[in-house]
Amino acid sequence: MKADRPGTDQPGDLPRLLLNWYDRHRRVLPWRAAPGEKADPYRVWLSEIMLQQTTVATVGPYFQAFLARWPGIADLAAAELDDVLRAWAGLGYYARARNLHKCAVTVADRHGGHFPDSEEGLLSLPGIGTYTAAAILAIAFDKPATAMDGNVERVMARLHAVRDPLPGSKPVLKAHAAALVPETRPGDYTQALFDLGASICVPRKPRCILCPWADPCRARRQGIAEELPAKTAKAAKPVRRALAFVLTDGRGHVALRRRPEKGLLGGMMEVPTTPWETAPLPSLPAAAGHVPLPGIGWQALPGLVRHTFTHFEFEIGVVAGRTAGTEEKGPGLIWVAPDALADEALPTVMMKILRHALTRMA
DNA sequence: TATCCGTGGTT
DNA sequence: TAACCAAGGAT
């Protein structure tokens, strides 16, 4: 029975239905080309990197700021990495910023400033994986590629009533998605799928009444749309703890240091801390070996700073200290005026710690 | 294949 | 509030 599978008599119906809906309801987004205008691969790439695991609302201001400061790939390639990290501060997943810069240099130096328009070429660039390569091919070059993101997985799981849980069902969902990508307007079709997942086929309480695919959707027919996609349970997050040392000098400048290039918050600035351990918070005497400047009056501040990372919870006890000098040269320390902290490459957790301390030391 | 890698908003 | 979710990539 044809009611048993998505699509009606012509398989071409589904893309056409979605494109008709998109032409009437497409979202206006800062990185999206106006109807009829050609997309700029640089803007498509920049937006796709920023949008990885990050919401449209969060990306908006960052995208505008990057575009204003670095209008083209050559400008970004010529930038200092630290300037890119500073502009990226707060967006998270900082390896994206390092790879963004590396990718810009590669495209400028080895591709004449033009992004490759092949899957292999795009996949060879840092920070571009299977999803982003397909998204660039479709949106920037209007080629029929299958861009699988969370939206598309959810829409396909429902359209075909795939009950097997993610991530195991990814190959099946991708096959379903690939079978639908049209030869005409594949870029618009891809973005239409994103819009559908973002505004209609949302995770909870999907608005099926407004959906252009309501009729062929098997999950809706079975009344299980909201239950899909199924997902395997994920492990609980452990708690890690540390003491953070907020050190100010005679001018009120704050001591920071740079984190290692790889790993968590790689290349970003930080407040000196004890090692981040699952053990209980150490006492100040027990942490003596990690104090950036011994021999001054360190004082524990009341309260804790809490922050959630992808795979652990972080609890930070904050310790404050002052030194009278203005030229303290602690090992690897960088002194920054409070007014200039916002311009540093400080991840959000470090901004929380600094705010906690500076509002209680004043 | 599984783990690591941020953050802010929503329910 | 806790859990979930977001235009994923690298190793």
Side-chain angles (χ1 to χ4, degrees), chain A residues 128-165:
Chain A
I128 297 182
T130 55
Y131 160 77
T132 304
I136 292 174
L137 283 176
I139 300 171
F141 299 112
D142 206 28
K143 294 192 170 189
T146 308
M148 292 302 294
D149 74 330
N151 289 305
V152 182
E153 287 175 351
R154 183 171 60 254
V155 170
M156 290 302 139
R158 289 172 175 170
L159 179 64
H160 295 269
V162 176
R163 295 167 183 260
D164 301 320

Side-chain angles (χ1 to χ4, degrees), chain A residues 7 26 74 133 140 186 190 197 217 223 237-238 261 283 289 308 321 352 355:
Chain A
R26 71 193 292 282
T190 297
C217 182
K237 295 181 180 183
E261 291 302 316
S283 67
T308 303
K352 284 187 184 178
R355 190 178 315 123

Side-chain angles (χ1 to χ4, degrees), chain A residues 228-251:
Chain A
L228 299 182
K231 299 193 175 181
T232 58
K234 48 185 82 170
K237 295 181 180 183
V239 181
R240 296 187 197 173
R241 304 174 184 85
L243 287 181
F245 302 99
V246 177
L247 173 61
T248 55
D249 68 7
R251 304 166 298 180

Side-chain angles (χ1 to χ4, degrees), chain A residues 26 31-45 47 115 135-142 187-188 191:
Chain A
R26 71 193 292 282
W31 44 85
R32 190 170 272 183
E37 288 189 2
K38 204 166 10 168
D40 175 3
Y42 172 68
R43 300 187 189 200
V44 173
W45 162 73
S47 67
F115 279 88
I136 292 174
L137 283 176
I139 300 171
F141 299 112
D142 206 28
D188 284 343
Q191 296 178 86

Side-chain angles (χ1 to χ4, degrees), chain A residues 52-72:
Chain A
Q52 289 168 5
Q53 297 292 287
T54 310
T55 59
V56 164
T58 299
V59 165
Y62 284 88
F63 177 82
Q64 304 278 26
F66 268 68
L67 198 61
R69 185 167 179 181
W70 299 295

Side-chain angles (χ1 to χ4, degrees), chain A residues 110-124:
Chain A
R110 298 219 294 261
H111 297 276
H114 299 286
F115 279 88
D117 62 352
S118 70
E119 181 179 18
E120 319 83 72
L122 289 167
L123 284 175
S124 73

